[in-house]
Amino acid sequence: MPYRIFVDLATPPDVLELLQQGTRGHQLLFPHKPISSVLAEPGQDPQFATAEIAFGQPDPVAIANATRLKWIHVSSSGITRYDNPQFRALMAERKIAVTNSADVYQEACAVHLFSFMLAQARNLPGALKSRAANGTPEWHALRGANMTLGGQTVLILGYGAIGRRLVELLRPFNMKIMVYRRQARGDEGVPVVTPGQLAQTLATEADHIVNILPDNAESRHFFNASRFARLKSGAIFYNIGRGTTVDQEALLDALRSGGLKAAWLDVTDPEPLPENHPLLAQANCFITPHVAGGHVDEAKTLVRHFLRNFEQFVNGKPLFDRVM
Amino acid sequence: MPYRIFVDLATPPDVLELLQQGTRGHQLLFPHKPISSVLAEPGQDPQFATAEIAFGQPDPVAIANATRLKWIHVSSSGITRYDNPQFRALMAERKIAVTNSADVYQEACAVHLFSFMLAQARNLPGALKSRAANGTPEWHALRGANMTLGGQTVLILGYGAIGRRLVELLRPFNMKIMVYRRQARGDEGVPVVTPGQLAQTLATEADHIVNILPDNAESRHFFNASRFARLKSGAIFYNIGRGTTVDQEALLDALRSGGLKAAWLDVTDPEPLPENHPLLAQANCFITPHVAGGHVDEAKTLVRHFLRNFEQFVNGKPLFDRVM
């Protein structure tokens, strides 16, 4: 049977063509104003209620009213706006499958995080500005502050697709790698830190704190004043998850007091931070504007991932990246 | 028998103590003005002629006059000022062993190069300055220009300790890795590009050109106008070897014409470049001031490496990092 697929995703001509080819025989519905940001709030579109499949960032209210809906493919890795008990219950009751695009962003996010770790280790922001002559005190100071990662400990919070890939990339660097999970499942391949052990690990072991926690009720301000208060000397904080998982006031205090040596953030709350936000003026805080998942041909990768799942859906096979 | 060891190396108190402990029973000789840069030209010191061992960057002329010399341990990875047929012949004739400090700098240099590759792939210099809001054209442009390294080809020129370590670090990134050598030895573990194949590889395969060539007569201006003229579209050039291996006029032309997408240099000729040098104003040229080998406790690592070799020397065992 031909499906009606509602697509709210920016689709340049070549991407649209790819999508049309891969869904031939089915009907694509586009909103009048396509949604381009993963964090924007989409409006509602009357066509939506007639679709069996939604691809993009469909509005939860519209979903509740779309009685023919069978499958939602979210065009991001994060599923914040859907990740609550009410929505999950609705999906279960209506037998709507929800998948996300974790596979699409895993590599880019892991590589972006890695670029943060290495830029920090080699002090690139400072070194690229310096014109120090060999042998001068400034030059010795620059060289002497550089690091190699070897022998240091990295703690990864949020151990999904991105975290697993990051562990693979970190393997050759001779670091101690630990992951934080509510409960160890035994298949992590690296030591697991459980909630009861977290404070101790942060205080005595973690040189690099990698926050990839998703945004949900439990993770809101997970990194608060109390967690930032007792960190290992020289600790560095990275966030490529969601800005809401960090109490930014507490982060600022830790950066000012020296409790944290530096922070590297791809996400903030809100995005972007307002012009006068003190984190922007903090010299040991480095911010990229939510681009960790970005990569050449991202829209094509997204569509290919959807089409791979669409084929599974049409053939009644299990969907990839299913989250509900 | 007690040896006389001439040391021209910056030695803060804790490093000096380490050196003294490790050479107890022997005599350390220090120049009046210690040499701190690996590229500085050391003066001559009358004590030098009485030493059996030299640790640092001893002057080639002084070496020629030091008749008791048995072993020179160079405190850098590069051995430019010694790497010529005359000097090699003199060492062979006088049976003087020459070792370098490649082991000390291998990890830091490989990690530094890696930080360049990832900062370029994730466009960190641009992204750290951007305050683009999600969904804006600037934001889409930033995300869309980001890369993951996967599927790209890296060509490493100069396959010593640093190159080998870099290959290990690159393994998980799903790149095609090739190394340039005058002759394949068969133990490289990666495809070897020989001189006859280089032009073709640069023109059609190499997305990332990693220059770790040492400075010697053959490598002077190895990267000249003719080599920069035919590169694969989007190629990026990295140099952590020596500045003299690059014709900087030709590099500038390639960066201006778009023949090269970007260059990341830790070494230049001279160092630092003069204030008005056009490479400094070139937006797609990124320069750190010869700090690739730098790392926390570098002087201690250097001394530990020397002491490990000193023990070998005293016991008549083969020296590590022997280059002549």
Side-chain angles (χ1 to χ4, degrees):
Chain A
M1 91 176 230
Y3 289 109
R4 288 167 62 86
I5 308 163
F6 188 88
V7 181
D8 60 352
L9 185 79
T11 46
D14 55 336
V15 176
L16 178 59
E17 200 190 315
L18 185 67
L19 185 59
Q20 285 169 329
Q21 280 177 0
T23 56
R24 194 153 293 173
H26 303 273
Q27 193 180 351
L28 296 174
L29 311 170
F30 293 92
H32 299 298
K33 188 168 169 288
I35 302 312
S36 46
S37 160
V38 301
L39 298 182
E41 284 296 333
Q44 294 184 26
D45 190 293
Q47 298 178 94
F48 191 82
T50 71
E52 286 94 16
I53 298 170
F55 173 27
Q57 299 284 324
D59 180 39
V61 176
I63 291 170
N65 297 329
T67 52
R68 305 178 59 172
L69 209 54
K70 292 188 164 65
W71 169 38
I72 301 166
H73 186 77
V74 180
S75 61
S76 58
S77 192
I79 53 164
T80 305
R81 73 162 63 87
Y82 315 107
D83 194 9
N84 59 66
Q86 293 76 14
F87 191 87
R88 285 183 178 273
L90 181 69
M91 294 302 102
E93 181 197 322
R94 303 248 310 269
K95 294 190 172 50
I96 300 174
V98 180
T99 53
N100 73 1
S101 299
D103 277 359
V104 170
Y105 296 107
Q106 158 192 355
E107 184 74 10
C109 286
V111 171
H112 200 79
L113 194 284
F114 214 69
S115 78
F116 279 0
M117 292 184 71
L118 288 175
Q120 169 65 33
R122 306 310 297 177
N123 182 24
L124 286 191
L128 289 171
K129 274 185 228 144
S130 169
R131 305 270 307 283
N134 290 0
T136 58
E138 182 194 344
W139 184 76
H140 280 294
L142 266 178
R143 279 183 74 100
N146 275 343
M147 309 213 289
T148 61
L149 298 185
Q152 293 178 65
T153 297
V154 55
L155 173 67
I156 301 171
L157 298 99
Y159 196 50
I162 298 167
R164 285 178 193 276
R165 183 63 180 134
L166 189 59
V167 169
E168 289 175 8
L169 300 185
L170 285 169
R171 285 281 186 215
F173 283 82
N174 303 321
M175 303 183 80
K176 181 170 183 186
I177 306 172
M178 310 175 88
V179 299
Y180 169 79
R181 302 197 98 170
R182 273 167 286 196
Q183 209 169 339
R185 293 185 201 167
D187 64 347
E188 287 84 2
V190 286
V192 173
V193 174
T194 54
Q197 302 165 318
L198 182 59
Q200 178 73 5
T201 303
L202 288 174
T204 61
E205 295 211 68
D207 300 297
H208 302 267
I209 303 160
V210 175
N211 176 15
I212 326 181
L213 292 172
D215 174 38
N216 55 40
E218 270 179 79
S219 69
R220 205 64 58 94
H221 284 203
F222 184 90
F223 280 95
N224 55 20
S226 130
R227 289 221 160 90
F228 280 129
R230 295 199 321 127
L231 300 177
K232 187 175 174 186
S233 166
I236 297 150
F237 181 74
Y238 309 86
N239 191 7
I240 58 164
R242 284 291 181 256
T244 50
T245 63
V246 176
D247 176 344
Q248 292 179 165
E249 290 293 321
L251 172 62
L252 186 65
D253 286 345
L255 287 168
R256 282 179 172 162
S257 69
L260 269 177
K261 183 174 171 186
W264 290 76
L265 315 173
D266 187 57
V267 289
T268 55
D269 182 24
E271 289 174 7
L273 292 174
E275 289 278 347
N276 59 350
H277 196 285
L279 278 177
L280 294 174
Q282 189 64 26
N284 53 352
C285 186
F286 304 92
I287 304 177
T288 56
H290 201 135
V291 294
H295 54 279
V296 174
D297 281 340
E298 177 183 333
K300 270 192 194 165
T301 325
L302 262 176
V303 165
R304 281 201 195 98
H305 183 52
F306 168 77
L307 291 177
R308 212 161 57 107
N309 243 349
F310 181 65
E311 201 181 315
Q312 297 288 103
F313 181 81
V314 167
N315 295 316
K317 290 185 180 167
L319 299 173
F320 302 110
D321 279 341
R322 182 156 181 179
V323 290
M324 291 181 208
Chain B
M1 88 178 234
Y3 289 110
R4 289 167 62 86
I5 307 163
F6 188 88
V7 180
D8 61 351
L9 186 80
T11 46
D14 55 337
V15 176
L16 179 59
E17 200 188 316
L18 186 66
L19 185 59
Q20 285 170 329
Q21 280 176 2
T23 56
R24 195 154 293 171
H26 303 274
Q27 194 180 349
L28 296 174
L29 311 170
F30 293 93
H32 300 298
K33 186 165 170 290
I35 302 312
S36 44
S37 159
V38 300
L39 298 182
E41 284 298 330
Q44 295 183 26
D45 190 293
Q47 298 179 94
F48 190 81
T50 71
E52 287 92 17
I53 298 170
F55 173 27
Q57 298 282 323
D59 180 38
V61 176
I63 291 170
N65 297 329
T67 52
R68 306 177 58 171
L69 209 54
K70 293 189 164 62
W71 169 38
I72 300 166
H73 186 77
V74 180
S75 61
S76 58
S77 193
I79 53 164
T80 305
R81 71 161 64 89
Y82 315 107
D83 195 9
N84 58 67
Q86 293 75 14
F87 190 87
R88 284 184 180 270
L90 181 70
M91 295 301 101
E93 181 198 322
R94 302 246 312 266
K95 294 189 171 54
I96 300 176
V98 180
T99 54
N100 73 1
S101 298
D103 278 0
V104 170
Y105 297 108
Q106 158 192 356
E107 183 75 10
C109 286
V111 171
H112 199 78
L113 194 284
F114 214 70
S115 78
F116 279 1
M117 291 184 71
L118 288 174
Q120 169 65 33
R122 307 311 296 176
N123 183 23
L124 286 191
L128 289 171
K129 274 184 227 147
S130 169
R131 306 269 306 284
N134 290 359
T136 58
E138 183 195 343
W139 184 77
H140 279 295
L142 266 178
R143 280 182 75 101
N146 275 343
M147 308 214 289
T148 60
L149 299 186
Q152 293 177 65
T153 297
V154 56
L155 173 67
I156 301 172
L157 298 100
Y159 195 49
I162 297 168
R164 286 177 192 278
R165 182 65 179 133
L166 189 58
V167 169
E168 289 174 10
L169 300 184
L170 285 170
R171 285 278 187 217
F173 283 82
N174 303 321
M175 303 183 82
K176 181 170 182 188
I177 306 173
M178 310 174 89
V179 299
Y180 170 79
R181 303 197 97 173
R182 273 166 286 194
Q183 210 171 338
R185 294 187 202 167
D187 64 346
E188 288 84 2
V190 285
V192 174
V193 175
T194 53
Q197 303 165 318
L198 182 59
Q200 179 73 6
T201 302
L202 288 174
T204 62
E205 294 211 68
D207 300 297
H208 302 266
I209 304 160
V210 175
N211 177 13
I212 326 181
L213 292 172
D215 175 36
N216 54 40
E218 271 179 80
S219 69
R220 204 65 57 92
H221 284 203
F222 184 90
F223 280 96
N224 54 19
S226 129
R227 290 220 159 90
F228 279 131
R230 295 200 320 128
L231 299 177
K232 187 175 174 186
S233 166
I236 298 150
F237 181 74
Y238 309 86
N239 191 7
I240 57 164
R242 284 292 181 256
T244 50
T245 62
V246 177
D247 176 345
Q248 291 179 166
E249 289 293 321
L251 172 63
L252 186 65
D253 286 345
L255 287 168
R256 281 179 173 162
S257 70
L260 269 177
K261 184 174 173 187
W264 291 75
L265 315 173
D266 186 55
V267 288
T268 54
D269 181 25
E271 288 173 8
L273 292 173
E275 289 278 349
N276 59 351
H277 196 286
L279 278 177
L280 294 173
Q282 189 62 27
N284 53 352
C285 186
F286 304 93
I287 303 176
T288 56
H290 202 134
V291 294
H295 54 280
V296 174
D297 281 340
E298 178 183 333
K300 270 193 192 164
T301 324
L302 262 177
V303 165
R304 280 200 196 99
H305 182 53
F306 168 77
L307 291 177
R308 213 160 57 106
N309 244 349
F310 181 65
E311 200 179 318
Q312 297 288 103
F313 181 81
V314 167
N315 295 316
K317 291 186 180 169
L319 299 174
F320 301 111
D321 279 341
R322 183 155 179 180
V323 290
M324 293 181 205

